[in-house]
Amino acid sequence: MHSWTDTLRFAFQPVVNLVTGGVAGLEVLARPETGDILAEARRDAELDGRLAVSAVRAAARRETLLPLQVNVFAGTLADLGGLSPLHDAVRQAGRLPWEVTVDVVPPYTHVPQRALLEALAALREQGFRISADGVGDGDVPLRLLTDIAPDLVKLDACLLTRPAAVRAMRTLCDELGALLAVEGVETERQCAAARSAGAQLAQGELFAPPARLPAADVYVPPRASGTVSVPRSGPSVREFVRPAALLPAAASAGQVRALLTGSPDVSGVLLVDRAGVPLRSVHRSRFLLSMSGRYGHALYADRPAAKLGDPPRTVGIDATAWEVLDVVAVGGRDRTSDDVAVVDRHGRCVGVVRLADLVRALSETRVEEAAGLNPLTRLPGSDAITVEADRWIAEGRPLALSWLDVDRFKQVNDGAGFAAGDELIRSVGRALQAAASGTTRVGHIGGDDFLVLAGPEDLDPLAAAVLDAPWSAGGRPVTLSLATVVCPPGSVSDHRRAAACLAPLKKAAKALRGASWVLGRAGAPGHEVRRGAPPGAAAGSGAVGAAGPGTVGVEPGRGREGTG
């Protein structure tokens, strides 16, 4: 009598890190030669659980060291209350639970949510990682997705034609502490779209098709110039995590040697305790040098490998690349090439980062930033500010977008000379930078035009720093004009709409005498004059009454066009 296992084979598809270009893991896919066992597994929780166990055993037969991703239907988890046989299979295969991610597969309709969440909690307690699969083309409720708090979210490639949705999901993933992957990537254009929208991982035919043998090489298109977008604090270490080679803390030197000699791409081995916490770090070159010396094998082969290791260097999963460099800088120079272990909030190893990956990415970032800096002020151009503004808008954060320039700057240049004009521009740029606090971003569009992105609460000190200061060029007094549009959450769709609201405010500010500041609100008519005198007023009389600069004056008939 034939068993369903007689006609079932498994294929492996790499999951690629879009930053490092390396393989982050392998998804194990059931490939029945006859029948539709997956449809049966969807209806039969016990069968689906046995498929997951068989997937782990199939991977063990291929002797792959890469982390695994195993598919399980959401209904199966809710029905079985966890997968104890999966835990046993992982241990029997010589793997550790935190090297396995359980891909929770839709449908979710009619699945008892409390039972599903309890089952996932049990899997996490055993050490497994959780992935939410089929998001974007499946039926997972957004509330349930946040309750699951997955380690990985997999989007369907259909969302790549809707980059705003991918960017929004990346924001959600950052809040949940999850990585974002895109499945089904088939073209270089889709890969570029996934990168620009913020995906960190991807899989699909473009990189490598599912195959009976784990792929040794994958194709990853080179990153196009100008696609690097890095937070001010530095890129997250999550983007650079590579799979770690793990062995139990009691492993012998002979076991480590066998792993290293059979895996030339492995740069080191981490020895971990039963909970997955790194205890010792074994560097490939130093270890093999010790083993290859005279009597080395005889002395060390059967002894604990920990004696040839070093204390591990670790960083948290929420660290930035700069923090990793700080860790690398501590200690002797002979350890600068050591992998740095990345650990979760429980101290368990989730992978390693390599110094070369960090240096390459940070160098590319600096080159990209330098290319976009204004040569006169060394401030970023408008692109950097508008990208950040779009991110704030997508996150639902209130923002204030301001434009600042020098009044009658051509006359300043003609009268005082271009050198004095350049020095004035540099001085204004330095003053804006000095006044910027927290998340405020300052950009130099060109000429005498500056663009500032700030929180509404940061406006007053910023305006005072530049408008209340005495400015001059070549001994000639100079004034500045400032226009600001405040954008509450939901009032604008992107930076272009904010800029459209700002345009009439710029015109209104330039129509005033003296240092001026006009403020409007997206979606509301009119504007406020916070600095400046009306055109017919005598110089120094002020437009805001006896209270002086800073008092709000409302001119309801002006600035309506473009402010809503």
Side-chain angles (χ1 to χ4, degrees), residues 33 37 63 90 193 199 226 239 253 305 330 352 381 387 399 449 482 490 540 543 547 563:
E33 295 181 357
I37 195 171
E63 297 182 348
V90 169
E239 301 181 18
V330 176
V352 296
V387 166
L399 63 90
D449 293 322
L482 177 66
T563 60

Side-chain angles (χ1 to χ4, degrees), residues 456-474:
E457 69 281 359
D458 296 324
L459 286 174
D460 286 332
L462 185 75
V466 291
L467 296 181
D468 294 346
W471 296 101
S472 64

Side-chain angles (χ1 to χ4, degrees), residues 132-185:
D133 205 347
V135 175
D137 198 41
D139 61 345
V140 55
L142 191 57
R143 181 179 61 80
L144 178 59
L145 181 63
T146 58
D147 288 343
I148 291 173
D151 302 285
L152 175 65
V153 171
K154 289 188 172 183
L155 295 184
D156 190 271
C158 68
L159 284 187
L160 291 177
T161 58
R162 300 167 176 83
V166 182
R167 288 194 296 269
M169 188 56 65
R170 170 62 191 271
T171 300
L172 176 61
C173 285
D174 288 344
E175 290 291 329
L176 296 176
L179 291 174
L180 180 63
V182 176
E183 297 182 289
V185 175

